[in-house]
Amino acid sequence: MDLINFRVGKKTISLKILDILLTERYEGNLTSLPNENPSFLGVKDYMGTPTPIFDLGLILNNQSSYETNQSLVELLQLREQDHKAWLAELELSVHNDVPFTKSRDPKQTDFGKWFYNFKTDNEDLKAILSRFEGPHDRLHSIADEVLNLCSKGKKDQALETLEKEKLTTFTKLIRLFESARDQIILDHKPIIVFTTEDGQQPHIGLLVDRVEDNIHCDESDIKPLHEMTNVGFDIDPQTKKMMKGLIKQGDNHSLVLDPSAIFRPEHLKGYEPVETEEYGLF
């Protein structure tokens, strides 16, 4: 059995090659239709056939990959603001001889607690995050340095040190926050996988994050559904219908999906694609 692996959030899913018609970049150009299924995004015309598109992120992770990425971008924005507030308070402390109350231990800050526990398989984001530790540690170390100078009556030297670090270490850290956010946004280029039941007509489209690779396996390599709860999957009824099982790949598992288990919305039976100037037939 030949399969193609796709990434959806932190999960890998596998579809039979024979179940796939094609993949294309998702541009958001779908026709919305009333539907109670939150994972149903809308309809895309495929060679004259209105094809329902479902968000696998919502089905498998209870959150779309777009929402997951936006949450991460917002978190990084908050942590950047934390550091701006941290430096502002240190400047106030040095200038006005008032106590400095913020954390001097980089691992005990909100960013530090997140940073040392965060995991990602995005290699470009990993590369950016790997550059945070140096300037982040250095920034927090200057609190003791400048406050010790102040305690010795060397306020001018403390201010000089603070200004130097603000122009170098702090600026570098802020640029890293910006680069990390940009990478998260730019890296998300989801695709639609058009599936088929007969090899000719589209059945549904599935929104995934990216194509991973292709593999060959035997039916005996697929673990049955009842074993999935032993590897950390909380399976809801909708997801259970489309799962055929699990394939072990090294230390990870791939979910083998049967897209035919997702039924086309009933109201699509009477739906006729509408030609629009911007998108053509939808």
Side-chain angles (χ1 to χ4, degrees):
M1 179 190 305
D2 292 313
L3 305 166
I4 295 182
N5 287 335
F6 300 92
R7 195 71 174 179
V8 182
K10 294 184 178 181
K11 292 185 175 70
T12 300
I13 65 107
S14 300
L15 296 174
K16 290 182 182 179
I17 288 180
L18 295 178
D19 287 341
I20 300 171
L21 281 177
L22 62 75
T23 63
E24 70 172 42
R25 178 69 55 81
Y26 173 60
E27 304 291 352
N29 50 347
L30 304 180
T31 298
S32 298
L33 291 177
N35 191 276
E36 295 181 357
N37 185 341
S39 64
F40 174 63
L41 298 176
V43 173
K44 173 82 173 177
D45 181 74
Y46 179 90
M47 300 295 288
T49 301
T51 306
I53 309 300
F54 293 87
D55 189 332
L56 268 185
L58 282 170
I59 294 174
L60 298 177
N61 305 317
N62 296 317
Q63 187 177 44
S64 71
S65 294
Y66 174 79
E67 291 171 338
T68 300
N69 288 340
Q70 283 301 115
S71 295
L72 184 53
V73 166
E74 290 169 8
L75 181 144
L76 289 171
Q77 287 174 328
L78 289 173
R79 298 294 78 86
E80 178 183 328
Q81 292 304 315
D82 289 346
H83 285 83
K84 289 180 177 179
W86 185 94
L87 185 63
E89 181 166 320
L90 182 58
E91 288 179 315
L92 183 67
S93 176
V94 174
H95 279 286
N96 298 338
D97 298 320
V98 296
F100 179 71
T101 61
K102 293 191 178 293
S103 177
R104 305 184 194 188
D105 183 346
K107 292 185 178 181
Q108 294 305 311
T109 63
D110 287 339
F111 174 76
K113 292 174 182 177
W114 170 84
F115 178 76
Y116 289 103
N117 290 284
F118 178 70
K119 307 292 182 186
T120 180
D121 62 354
N122 183 325
E123 294 301 326
D124 292 326
L125 181 58
K126 275 184 184 178
I128 294 172
L129 292 176
S130 70
R131 295 157 54 196
F132 267 82
E133 190 169 27
H136 185 242
D137 286 357
R138 173 57 187 157
L139 182 68
H140 284 274
S141 72
I142 67 172
D144 284 336
E145 187 175 330
V146 299
L147 293 174
N148 284 338
L149 287 171
C150 287
S151 68
K152 296 176 181 178
K154 300 179 179 180
K155 186 172 182 178
D156 288 343
Q157 188 177 343
L159 289 170
E160 182 180 336
T161 299
L162 189 56
E163 184 63 21
K164 176 185 175 183
E165 295 296 338
K166 183 177 181 179
L167 294 174
T168 55
T169 303
F170 179 72
T171 298
K172 182 177 182 179
L173 188 63
I174 295 304
R175 286 176 178 169
L176 285 172
F177 273 112
E178 293 170 351
S179 296
R181 291 197 302 270
D182 289 345
Q183 180 58 45
I184 293 166
I185 294 170
L186 292 173
D187 186 67
H188 187 231
K189 298 175 181 177
I191 61 173
I192 297 173
V193 183
F194 287 95
T195 67
T196 182
E197 293 182 297
D198 60 10
Q200 296 181 335
Q201 295 297 314
H203 173 60
I204 60 169
L206 297 174
L207 189 68
V208 302
D209 294 341
R210 64 177 182 269
V211 180
E212 292 271 88
D213 54 16
N214 61 285
I215 60 172
H216 177 82
C217 74
D218 298 323
E219 286 283 353
S220 59
D221 294 329
I222 301 176
K223 287 187 176 183
L225 189 64
H226 70 267
E227 295 185 25
M228 290 188 184
T229 53
N230 296 328
V231 291
F233 288 105
D234 182 18
I235 308 170
D236 62 76
Q238 180 188 14
T239 307
K240 187 178 292 186
K241 287 180 181 178
M242 63 186 296
M243 283 185 175
K244 292 190 65 177
L246 279 180
I247 300 175
K248 184 173 174 60
Q249 301 182 76
D251 295 330
N252 301 313
H253 292 81
S254 174
L255 297 168
V256 182
L257 302 185
D258 176 12
S260 67
I262 299 182
F263 298 104
R264 292 169 62 89
E266 287 296 319
H267 56 274
L268 279 184
K269 292 179 179 179
Y271 173 78
E272 293 294 335
V274 178
E275 186 171 355
T276 67
E277 182 178 350
E278 183 175 3
Y279 299 126
L281 286 176
F282 283 97

